[in-house]
Structures are given as C-alpha cells and as structure tokens.
Amino acid sequence: MLRARGSIAGWSVTEACSFLSSLSNALGSDAAESYAETFREHEVDGPALSALDSAASPGWKIMGITKFGHVNKIAAAVAAVKTGAAPRGPTVSSE
C-alpha cells in the first residue's frame, strides 16, 4: 500500500478511484465501488477529478452519475481535498 503523493492534480486513475472508494461510508459501499468502476472506465485521474468539485460540472452527466445526493457528497469531498480540508492521500495498492 502507498499514499497518493502531492496534490490531487498529480493523482493517477488508481488513486482517484481509491479516493472515491474511500467515500463508501457516505455513499454506501455498492455505490462507491460502482462509481469507482465508472471513474476507471472514463479514465478519471487527478486533474479530471479536480474538475468534478462542483455538482454543476457536466462531467457527472457524461459519466451517468446522476444521483443528486451522491454527486453533492463526492463534489464536496473533492473540493475539501483541493482546499486542504481533508486528507490528501488515499491509500492505494501499488499495482
């Protein structure tokens, strides 16, 4: 296991998906894993994730993530990481 290094802008797709999976308490584990798979399919890395810091981002609709509550929770978590209000390093496997 390793920690994502630096800012969200430097995260890989694996790190971005790990971050999303870490939100399972807020989203439910099935939803978090489903969204993580969607992120993988759409190759959402740190820079792309950074653009999803608002529920108004068109990226949510493009990826088919439309549950209002989930979108708001994920966007708030992304915004918190970007501003330093949340831990910056999701734990990811070193695969």
Side-chain angles (χ1 to χ4, degrees):
M1 301 296 248
L2 60 95
R3 288 229 171 247
R5 295 188 190 139
S7 73
I8 193 172
W11 289 2
S12 67
V13 170
T14 300
E15 290 165 327
C17 291
S18 179
F19 168 76
L20 188 58
S21 294
S22 76
L23 302 177
S24 63
N25 286 341
L27 304 173
S29 60
D30 289 343
E33 288 307 315
S34 174
Y35 297 150
E37 183 57 34
T38 298
F39 274 35
R40 278 193 253 334
E41 290 170 5
H42 288 270
E43 299 179 7
V44 176
D45 57 8
L49 180 62
S50 185
L52 297 173
D53 65 347
S54 166
S57 169
W60 298 113
K61 188 174 180 181
I62 291 167
M63 292 188 296
I65 300 175
T66 58
K67 285 192 174 183
F68 182 74
H70 287 181
V71 168
N72 277 313
K73 289 174 184 176
I74 298 166
V78 170
V81 168
K82 285 176 64 176
T83 62
R88 299 179 80 70
T91 302
V92 296
S93 71
S94 57
E95 302 175 352

Coordinates of all heavy atoms in Angstrom, one line a residue:
M1 N 0.8 -1.2 0.0 CA 0.0 0.0 0.0 C 0.9 1.2 0.0 O 1.9 1.2 0.6 CB -0.9 0.0 1.2 CG -1.8 -1.2 1.4 SD -3.0 -1.2 0.1 CE -4.4 -0.9 1.0
L2 N 0.4 2.3 -0.7 CA 1.1 3.5 -0.6 C 0.1 4.7 -0.6 O -1.0 4.5 -0.8 CB 2.0 3.7 -1.9 CG 1.4 3.6 -3.2 CD1 1.1 5.0 -3.7 CD2 2.3 2.9 -4.2
R3 N 0.6 5.8 -0.3 CA -0.2 7.0 -0.2 C 0.0 7.8 -1.5 O 1.1 7.9 -2.0 CB 0.1 7.9 1.0 CG -0.3 7.2 2.2 CD -1.1 8.2 3.1 NE -1.7 7.6 4.2 CZ -3.0 7.4 4.3 NH1 -3.8 7.9 3.5 NH2 -3.5 6.8 5.4
A4 N -1.1 8.4 -2.0 CA -1.0 9.3 -3.1 C -0.1 10.5 -2.7 O -0.2 10.9 -1.6 CB -2.4 9.8 -3.5
R5 N 0.7 10.9 -3.6 CA 1.6 12.0 -3.2 C 1.2 13.3 -3.8 O 0.7 13.3 -4.9 CB 3.0 11.6 -3.8 CG 3.5 10.4 -3.0 CD 5.0 10.1 -3.4 NE 5.3 8.8 -2.8 CZ 5.9 7.9 -3.4 NH1 6.4 8.1 -4.6 NH2 6.1 6.7 -2.9
G6 N 1.5 14.4 -3.1 CA 1.2 15.7 -3.6 C -0.3 16.0 -3.7 O -1.1 15.4 -3.1
S7 N -0.5 17.0 -4.6 CA -1.9 17.5 -4.7 C -2.7 16.5 -5.6 O -2.2 15.7 -6.3 CB -1.9 18.9 -5.3 OG -1.5 18.8 -6.7
I8 N -4.0 16.7 -5.6 CA -4.9 15.9 -6.4 C -4.5 16.0 -7.9 O -4.8 15.0 -8.6 CB -6.4 16.4 -6.1 CG1 -7.4 15.5 -6.7 CG2 -6.6 17.8 -6.7 CD1 -8.8 15.8 -6.3
A9 N -3.9 17.1 -8.3 CA -3.5 17.2 -9.7 C -2.6 16.1 -10.2 O -2.5 15.8 -11.3 CB -3.0 18.6 -10.0
G10 N -1.8 15.5 -9.2 CA -0.9 14.5 -9.6 C -1.4 13.1 -9.4 O -0.6 12.1 -9.6
W11 N -2.6 12.9 -9.0 CA -3.1 11.6 -8.8 C -3.3 10.8 -10.1 O -3.7 11.3 -11.1 CB -4.5 11.6 -8.1 CG -4.4 12.0 -6.6 CD1 -3.3 12.4 -5.9 CD2 -5.5 12.1 -5.7 NE1 -3.7 12.8 -4.7 CE2 -5.0 12.6 -4.5 CE3 -6.9 11.9 -5.9 CZ2 -5.8 12.8 -3.4 CZ3 -7.7 12.1 -4.8 CH2 -7.2 12.6 -3.5
S12 N -3.1 9.5 -10.0 CA -3.4 8.6 -11.2 C -4.8 8.2 -11.1 O -5.6 8.5 -10.2 CB -2.5 7.4 -11.0 OG -2.9 6.6 -9.9
V13 N -5.3 7.5 -12.2 CA -6.6 6.9 -12.2 C -6.8 6.0 -11.0 O -7.9 6.1 -10.3 CB -6.9 6.1 -13.5 CG1 -8.2 5.4 -13.4 CG2 -6.9 7.1 -14.7
T14 N -5.9 5.2 -10.6 CA -6.0 4.3 -9.5 C -6.2 5.1 -8.2 O -7.0 4.7 -7.3 CB -4.7 3.4 -9.4 OG1 -4.6 2.6 -10.6 CG2 -4.8 2.5 -8.2
E15 N -5.4 6.2 -8.0 CA -5.5 7.0 -6.8 C -6.9 7.7 -6.8 O -7.5 7.8 -5.7 CB -4.4 8.0 -6.8 CG -3.1 7.3 -6.5 CD -1.9 8.2 -6.8 OE1 -1.9 9.0 -7.7 OE2 -0.9 8.0 -6.0
A16 N -7.4 8.2 -7.9 CA -8.7 8.8 -7.9 C -9.8 7.8 -7.6 O -10.7 8.2 -6.8 CB -8.9 9.5 -9.3
C17 N -9.7 6.6 -8.1 CA -10.7 5.6 -7.8 C -10.6 5.2 -6.3 O -11.6 4.9 -5.7 CB -10.5 4.4 -8.7 SG -10.9 4.7 -10.5
S18 N -9.4 5.1 -5.8 CA -9.3 4.8 -4.4 C -9.9 5.8 -3.5 O -10.6 5.5 -2.5 CB -7.8 4.6 -4.0 OG -7.6 4.3 -2.7
F19 N -9.7 7.1 -3.9 CA -10.4 8.2 -3.2 C -11.9 8.0 -3.2 O -12.5 8.1 -2.2 CB -10.0 9.5 -3.8 CG -10.8 10.7 -3.3 CD1 -10.5 11.2 -2.1 CD2 -11.8 11.2 -4.1 CE1 -11.3 12.3 -1.6 CE2 -12.5 12.3 -3.7 CZ -12.3 12.8 -2.4
L20 N -12.4 7.7 -4.3 CA -13.9 7.5 -4.4 C -14.3 6.4 -3.6 O -15.3 6.5 -2.9 CB -14.3 7.3 -5.9 CG -15.8 7.3 -6.1 CD1 -16.4 8.6 -5.7 CD2 -16.0 7.2 -7.6
S21 N -13.6 5.3 -3.6 CA -13.9 4.1 -2.8 C -13.9 4.4 -1.3 O -14.6 3.9 -0.5 CB -13.0 2.9 -3.1 OG -13.1 2.5 -4.4
S22 N -13.0 5.4 -0.9 CA -12.9 5.7 0.5 C -14.2 6.5 1.0 O -14.3 6.7 2.2 CB -11.7 6.6 0.7 OG -11.9 7.9 0.2
L23 N -15.0 6.9 0.1 CA -16.3 7.6 0.4 C -17.4 6.6 0.7 O -18.6 7.0 0.7 CB -16.7 8.6 -0.7 CG -15.6 9.6 -1.0 CD1 -16.1 10.5 -2.1 CD2 -15.3 10.5 0.3
S24 N -17.1 5.3 0.8 CA -18.2 4.3 1.0 C -19.1 4.5 2.2 O -20.3 4.2 2.1 CB -17.6 2.9 1.0 OG -16.8 2.7 2.1
N25 N -18.6 5.1 3.3 CA -19.5 5.4 4.4 C -20.5 6.5 4.0 O -21.6 6.4 4.5 CB -18.6 5.9 5.6 CG -17.9 4.8 6.3 OD1 -18.2 3.7 6.1 ND2 -16.9 5.2 7.0
A26 N -20.2 7.4 3.2 CA -21.1 8.5 2.8 C -22.0 8.0 1.7 O -23.2 8.4 1.6 CB -20.3 9.7 2.4
L27 N -21.5 7.2 0.8 CA -22.3 6.8 -0.4 C -22.9 5.4 -0.3 O -23.8 5.1 -1.0 CB -21.4 6.8 -1.6 CG -20.7 8.1 -1.9 CD1 -19.7 7.9 -3.1 CD2 -21.7 9.2 -2.2
G28 N -22.4 4.5 0.6 CA -22.7 3.1 0.6 C -21.7 2.4 -0.2 O -21.2 2.9 -1.3
S29 N -21.3 1.2 0.2 CA -20.2 0.5 -0.5 C -20.5 0.2 -1.9 O -19.6 0.2 -2.8 CB -19.7 -0.7 0.4 OG -20.8 -1.6 0.5
D30 N -21.7 -0.3 -2.2 CA -22.0 -0.7 -3.5 C -21.9 0.5 -4.5 O -21.4 0.4 -5.6 CB -23.4 -1.3 -3.6 CG -23.5 -2.7 -3.0 OD1 -22.4 -3.3 -2.7 OD2 -24.6 -3.1 -2.7
A31 N -22.5 1.7 -4.1 CA -22.5 2.9 -4.9 C -21.0 3.3 -5.1 O -20.6 3.7 -6.2 CB -23.3 4.0 -4.3
A32 N -20.2 3.4 -4.0 CA -18.9 3.8 -4.1 C -18.1 3.0 -5.1 O -17.3 3.5 -5.9 CB -18.2 3.9 -2.8
E33 N -18.2 1.7 -5.0 CA -17.5 0.8 -5.9 C -18.0 0.9 -7.4 O -17.2 0.9 -8.3 CB -17.6 -0.7 -5.4 CG -16.8 -0.9 -4.2 CD -15.3 -0.5 -4.3 OE1 -14.6 -0.8 -5.3 OE2 -14.8 0.2 -3.4
S34 N -19.3 1.1 -7.5 CA -19.8 1.3 -8.9 C -19.3 2.6 -9.5 O -18.9 2.6 -10.7 CB -21.4 1.3 -8.8 OG -21.9 1.7 -10.1
Y35 N -19.3 3.6 -8.7 CA -18.7 4.9 -9.2 C -17.2 4.8 -9.5 O -16.7 5.3 -10.5 CB -19.0 6.0 -8.2 CG -20.5 6.3 -8.0 CD1 -20.9 6.8 -6.8 CD2 -21.4 6.1 -9.0 CE1 -22.3 7.1 -6.6 CE2 -22.8 6.4 -8.8 CZ -23.2 6.9 -7.6 OH -24.5 7.1 -7.4
A36 N -16.5 4.1 -8.6 CA -15.1 3.9 -8.9 C -14.9 3.2 -10.2 O -13.9 3.5 -11.0 CB -14.4 3.1 -7.7
E37 N -15.7 2.2 -10.5 CA -15.6 1.5 -11.8 C -15.9 2.4 -13.0 O -15.2 2.4 -14.0 CB -16.5 0.3 -11.9 CG -16.4 -0.5 -13.1 CD -15.0 -1.0 -13.4 OE1 -14.2 -1.4 -12.5 OE2 -14.6 -1.1 -14.6
T38 N -16.9 3.3 -12.8 CA -17.2 4.3 -13.8 C -16.0 5.2 -14.0 O -15.7 5.6 -15.1 CB -18.4 5.1 -13.4 OG1 -19.6 4.2 -13.3 CG2 -18.8 6.2 -14.4
F39 N -15.4 5.6 -12.9 CA -14.2 6.5 -13.0 C -13.1 5.8 -13.8 O -12.4 6.4 -14.6 CB -13.7 6.9 -11.6 CG -14.3 8.1 -11.0 CD1 -15.7 8.4 -11.2 CD2 -13.6 8.9 -10.2 CE1 -16.2 9.5 -10.6 CE2 -14.2 10.0 -9.6 CZ -15.5 10.3 -9.8
R40 N -12.9 4.5 -13.5 CA -11.9 3.7 -14.3 C -12.2 3.7 -15.8 O -11.3 3.9 -16.6 CB -11.8 2.3 -13.8 CG -10.9 2.1 -12.5 CD -10.6 0.7 -12.3 NE -11.2 0.0 -11.2 CZ -11.7 0.4 -10.0 NH1 -11.8 1.6 -9.8 NH2 -12.1 -0.4 -9.1
E41 N -13.5 3.4 -16.1 CA -13.9 3.4 -17.5 C -13.7 4.7 -18.2 O -13.4 4.7 -19.4 CB -15.4 3.0 -17.6 CG -15.6 1.6 -17.2 CD -17.1 1.2 -17.0 OE1 -18.0 2.1 -17.3 OE2 -17.4 0.1 -16.6
H42 N -13.9 5.8 -17.5 CA -13.7 7.1 -18.1 C -12.3 7.7 -17.9 O -12.1 8.9 -18.2 CB -14.8 8.1 -17.5 CG -16.2 7.8 -18.0 ND1 -16.7 8.4 -19.2 CD2 -17.1 6.9 -17.6 CE1 -17.9 7.9 -19.4 NE2 -18.2 7.0 -18.5
E43 N -11.4 6.9 -17.3 CA -10.0 7.3 -17.1 C -9.9 8.6 -16.3 O -9.2 9.5 -16.6 CB -9.3 7.4 -18.4 CG -9.2 6.1 -19.1 CD -8.5 6.1 -20.4 OE1 -7.9 7.2 -20.8 OE2 -8.6 5.1 -21.2
V44 N -10.7 8.7 -15.2 CA -10.7 9.9 -14.3 C -9.5 9.8 -13.4 O -9.4 9.0 -12.6 CB -12.0 10.0 -13.5 CG1 -11.9 11.2 -12.5 CG2 -13.2 10.1 -14.4
D45 N -8.5 10.7 -13.7 CA -7.3 10.8 -12.9 C -7.5 12.1 -12.0 O -8.5 12.7 -12.0 CB -6.1 10.9 -13.8 CG -6.1 12.0 -14.8 OD1 -7.0 12.8 -14.8 OD2 -5.2 12.0 -15.6
G46 N -6.4 12.5 -11.4 CA -6.5 13.7 -10.5 C -6.9 14.9 -11.2 O -7.8 15.6 -10.7
P47 N -6.4 15.3 -12.3 CA -6.8 16.5 -13.0 C -8.3 16.4 -13.4 O -9.1 17.4 -13.2 CB -5.9 16.6 -14.2 CG -4.7 16.0 -13.8 CD -5.1 14.8 -13.0
A48 N -8.8 15.3 -13.9 CA -10.2 15.1 -14.2 C -11.0 15.2 -13.0 O -12.1 15.8 -12.9 CB -10.4 13.8 -15.0
L49 N -10.6 14.5 -11.9 CA -11.3 14.5 -10.6 C -11.4 15.9 -10.1 O -12.5 16.4 -9.6 CB -10.6 13.6 -9.6 CG -11.3 13.5 -8.2 CD1 -12.7 12.9 -8.3 CD2 -10.4 12.6 -7.3
S50 N -10.4 16.7 -10.2 CA -10.3 18.1 -9.7 C -11.4 18.9 -10.4 O -12.0 19.8 -9.8 CB -9.0 18.7 -10.0 OG -8.9 20.0 -9.5
A51 N -11.8 18.6 -11.6 CA -12.8 19.3 -12.3 C -14.2 19.0 -11.9 O -15.2 19.6 -12.2 CB -12.7 19.1 -13.8
L52 N -14.3 17.9 -11.0 CA -15.6 17.5 -10.5 C -15.9 18.0 -9.1 O -16.5 17.4 -8.3 CB -15.7 16.0 -10.5 CG -15.6 15.3 -11.9 CD1 -15.5 13.8 -11.8 CD2 -16.8 15.7 -12.8
D53 N -15.4 19.2 -8.8 CA -15.5 19.8 -7.4 C -16.8 20.5 -7.3 O -17.1 21.1 -6.3 CB -14.3 20.6 -7.1 CG -14.2 21.9 -7.9 OD1 -14.8 21.9 -9.0 OD2 -13.4 22.7 -7.6
S54 N -17.7 20.5 -8.3 CA -19.0 21.1 -8.2 C -20.0 20.2 -8.8 O -19.8 19.5 -9.8 CB -18.9 22.4 -9.1 OG -20.2 22.9 -9.3
A55 N -21.2 20.2 -8.1 CA -22.3 19.4 -8.6 C -22.7 19.8 -10.0 O -23.4 19.1 -10.8 CB -23.4 19.4 -7.7
A56 N -22.4 21.1 -10.4 CA -22.8 21.6 -11.7 C -21.9 21.2 -12.8 O -22.2 21.5 -14.0 CB -22.8 23.1 -11.6
S57 N -20.8 20.5 -12.5 CA -19.9 20.1 -13.6 C -20.6 19.1 -14.6 O -21.3 18.2 -14.2 CB -18.7 19.3 -13.0 OG -17.9 18.7 -14.0
P58 N -20.4 19.4 -15.9 CA -21.0 18.5 -16.8 C -20.5 17.1 -16.8 O -21.1 16.1 -17.3 CB -20.8 19.2 -18.2 CG -19.6 20.0 -17.9 CD -19.6 20.4 -16.5
G59 N -19.3 16.9 -16.2 CA -18.7 15.5 -16.2 C -19.6 14.5 -15.5 O -19.6 13.3 -15.9
W60 N -20.4 14.9 -14.5 CA -21.3 13.9 -13.8 C -22.3 13.3 -14.8 O -22.4 12.1 -14.8 CB -22.0 14.6 -12.7 CG -21.1 15.2 -11.6 CD1 -20.8 16.5 -11.3 CD2 -20.2 14.4 -10.7 NE1 -19.9 16.6 -10.3 CE2 -19.5 15.3 -9.9 CE3 -20.0 13.0 -10.5 CZ2 -18.6 14.9 -8.9 CZ3 -19.1 12.6 -9.6 CH2 -18.4 13.5 -8.8
K61 N -22.9 14.2 -15.6 CA -23.9 13.7 -16.5 C -23.3 12.8 -17.6 O -23.8 11.8 -18.0 CB -24.7 14.8 -17.1 CG -25.8 14.4 -18.0 CD -26.7 15.6 -18.4 CE -27.8 15.1 -19.3 NZ -28.6 16.3 -19.7
I62 N -22.1 13.3 -18.1 CA -21.4 12.5 -19.1 C -21.1 11.1 -18.6 O -21.2 10.1 -19.4 CB -20.1 13.2 -19.5 CG1 -20.4 14.5 -20.3 CG2 -19.2 12.3 -20.3 CD1 -19.2 15.5 -20.4
M63 N -20.7 10.9 -17.4 CA -20.4 9.6 -16.8 C -21.6 8.9 -16.3 O -21.5 7.7 -16.0 CB -19.4 9.7 -15.7 CG -18.1 10.2 -16.1 SD -16.8 10.1 -14.8 CE -17.5 11.3 -13.6
G64 N -22.8 9.5 -16.3 CA -24.0 8.9 -15.9 C -24.2 8.8 -14.4 O -25.0 8.0 -13.9
I65 N -23.4 9.6 -13.7 CA -23.6 9.7 -12.2 C -24.6 10.8 -11.9 O -24.2 12.0 -12.0 CB -22.2 9.9 -11.5 CG1 -21.3 8.7 -11.8 CG2 -22.4 10.0 -10.0 CD1 -19.9 8.9 -11.3
T66 N -25.8 10.5 -11.7 CA -26.9 11.5 -11.6 C -27.6 11.6 -10.3 O -28.4 12.5 -10.1 CB -27.9 11.2 -12.7 OG1 -28.4 9.9 -12.6 CG2 -27.2 11.4 -14.1
K67 N -27.3 10.7 -9.3 CA -28.0 10.8 -8.0 C -27.5 12.1 -7.4 O -26.3 12.3 -7.0 CB -27.7 9.6 -7.1 CG -28.5 8.4 -7.6 CD -28.4 7.3 -6.5 CE -29.3 6.2 -6.9 NZ -29.3 5.2 -5.9
F68 N -28.4 13.0 -7.2 CA -28.1 14.4 -6.7 C -27.3 14.3 -5.4 O -26.3 15.0 -5.2 CB -29.4 15.2 -6.5 CG -29.2 16.6 -6.0 CD1 -28.7 17.5 -6.9 CD2 -29.5 16.9 -4.7 CE1 -28.5 18.8 -6.5 CE2 -29.2 18.2 -4.3 CZ -28.7 19.2 -5.2
G69 N -27.8 13.5 -4.4 CA -27.1 13.5 -3.1 C -25.7 12.9 -3.2 O -24.8 13.4 -2.6
H70 N -25.5 11.9 -4.1 CA -24.2 11.3 -4.2 C -23.2 12.3 -5.0 O -22.1 12.5 -4.6 CB -24.3 10.0 -5.0 CG -24.8 8.9 -4.2 ND1 -25.0 7.6 -4.8 CD2 -25.3 8.8 -3.0 CE1 -25.5 6.8 -3.9 NE2 -25.7 7.5 -2.8
V71 N -23.8 12.9 -6.0 CA -22.9 13.9 -6.7 C -22.5 15.0 -5.8 O -21.3 15.4 -5.8 CB -23.7 14.5 -7.9 CG1 -23.0 15.7 -8.5 CG2 -23.9 13.5 -9.0
N72 N -23.4 15.5 -4.9 CA -23.0 16.6 -4.0 C -22.0 16.1 -3.0 O -21.1 16.9 -2.6 CB -24.3 17.1 -3.3 CG -25.0 18.2 -4.1 OD1 -24.3 19.1 -4.7 ND2 -26.3 18.0 -4.3
K73 N -22.1 14.9 -2.5 CA -21.2 14.4 -1.5 C -19.8 14.2 -2.1 O -18.8 14.5 -1.5 CB -21.7 13.1 -0.9 CG -22.9 13.2 0.0 CD -23.4 11.9 0.5 CE -24.7 12.1 1.3 NZ -25.3 10.9 1.7
I74 N -19.7 13.6 -3.3 CA -18.5 13.4 -4.0 C -17.8 14.8 -4.3 O -16.6 15.0 -4.0 CB -18.6 12.6 -5.2 CG1 -19.1 11.2 -4.9 CG2 -17.2 12.5 -6.0 CD1 -19.6 10.4 -6.1
A75 N -18.6 15.7 -4.8 CA -18.1 17.0 -5.2 C -17.6 17.8 -4.0 O -16.5 18.4 -4.0 CB -19.2 17.9 -5.9
A76 N -18.3 17.7 -2.8 CA -17.8 18.3 -1.6 C -16.5 17.7 -1.1 O -15.6 18.4 -0.6 CB -18.9 18.2 -0.5
A77 N -16.4 16.4 -1.2 CA -15.2 15.7 -0.8 C -14.0 16.1 -1.7 O -12.9 16.3 -1.2 CB -15.3 14.2 -0.9
V78 N -14.2 16.2 -3.0 CA -13.2 16.7 -3.9 C -12.8 18.1 -3.6 O -11.6 18.4 -3.5 CB -13.7 16.6 -5.4 CG1 -12.7 17.3 -6.3 CG2 -13.9 15.1 -5.8
A79 N -13.7 19.0 -3.4 CA -13.4 20.4 -3.0 C -12.7 20.4 -1.7 O -11.7 21.2 -1.6 CB -14.7 21.2 -2.9
A80 N -13.0 19.6 -0.7 CA -12.3 19.6 0.6 C -10.8 19.1 0.4 O -9.9 19.7 1.0 CB -13.0 18.6 1.5
V81 N -10.6 18.2 -0.5 CA -9.2 17.7 -0.7 C -8.4 18.9 -1.4 O -7.3 19.2 -1.1 CB -9.2 16.5 -1.6 CG1 -7.8 16.2 -2.1 CG2 -9.7 15.3 -0.8
K82 N -9.1 19.5 -2.4 CA -8.4 20.6 -3.1 C -8.0 21.8 -2.2 O -7.0 22.4 -2.4 CB -9.3 21.1 -4.2 CG -9.3 20.2 -5.4 CD -10.3 20.6 -6.5 CE -9.9 21.9 -7.1 NZ -10.8 22.3 -8.2
T83 N -8.9 22.0 -1.2 CA -8.6 23.2 -0.3 C -7.8 22.8 0.9 O -7.5 23.6 1.8 CB -9.9 23.8 0.2 OG1 -10.7 22.9 0.9 CG2 -10.7 24.3 -1.0
G84 N -7.5 21.5 1.1 CA -6.7 21.0 2.2 C -7.5 20.8 3.4 O -7.0 20.5 4.5
A85 N -8.8 20.7 3.3 CA -9.7 20.5 4.4 C -9.9 19.0 4.7 O -10.6 18.6 5.6 CB -11.1 21.2 4.2
A86 N -9.4 18.1 3.9 CA -9.5 16.7 4.0 C -8.1 16.1 3.7 O -7.3 16.7 3.1 CB -10.5 16.2 3.0
P87 N -8.0 14.8 4.2 CA -6.7 14.1 3.9 C -6.4 14.1 2.4 O -7.3 13.9 1.6 CB -6.9 12.7 4.4 CG -8.0 12.9 5.4 CD -8.9 14.0 4.9
R88 N -5.1 14.3 2.1 CA -4.8 14.4 0.7 C -4.3 13.1 0.0 O -4.2 13.0 -1.2 CB -3.6 15.4 0.5 CG -4.0 16.8 1.0 CD -2.9 17.7 0.9 NE -2.6 18.3 -0.5 CZ -3.4 19.1 -1.1 NH1 -4.5 19.5 -0.6 NH2 -3.1 19.6 -2.3
G89 N -4.1 12.1 0.8 CA -3.6 10.8 0.3 C -4.4 9.6 0.5 O -4.4 9.0 1.5
P90 N -5.3 9.2 -0.5 CA -6.0 8.0 -0.4 C -5.0 6.8 -0.4 O -3.9 6.9 -1.0 CB -6.9 7.9 -1.6 CG -6.2 8.8 -2.6 CD -5.5 9.8 -1.8
T91 N -5.3 5.8 0.3 CA -4.5 4.6 0.3 C -4.8 3.8 -0.9 O -6.0 3.5 -1.2 CB -4.7 3.7 1.6 OG1 -4.4 4.6 2.7 CG2 -3.8 2.5 1.6
V92 N -3.8 3.4 -1.7 CA -4.0 2.6 -2.9 C -3.0 1.5 -3.0 O -1.9 1.6 -2.3 CB -3.8 3.5 -4.2 CG1 -4.9 4.6 -4.2 CG2 -2.5 4.1 -4.3
S93 N -3.3 0.5 -3.7 CA -2.4 -0.6 -3.9 C -1.3 -0.2 -4.8 O -1.5 0.7 -5.7 CB -3.1 -1.9 -4.4 OG -3.4 -1.7 -5.7
S94 N -0.2 -0.8 -4.8 CA 0.9 -0.3 -5.7 C 1.0 -1.1 -7.0 O 2.0 -1.3 -7.6 CB 2.3 -0.5 -4.9 OG 2.4 -1.8 -4.5
E95 N -0.1 -1.7 -7.4 CA -0.2 -2.4 -8.7 C 0.2 -1.6 -9.8 O -0.1 -0.5 -10.1 CB -1.6 -2.9 -8.9 CG -2.1 -3.8 -7.8 CD -3.6 -4.2 -8.0 OE1 -4.3 -3.7 -8.9 OE2 -4.1 -5.0 -7.2

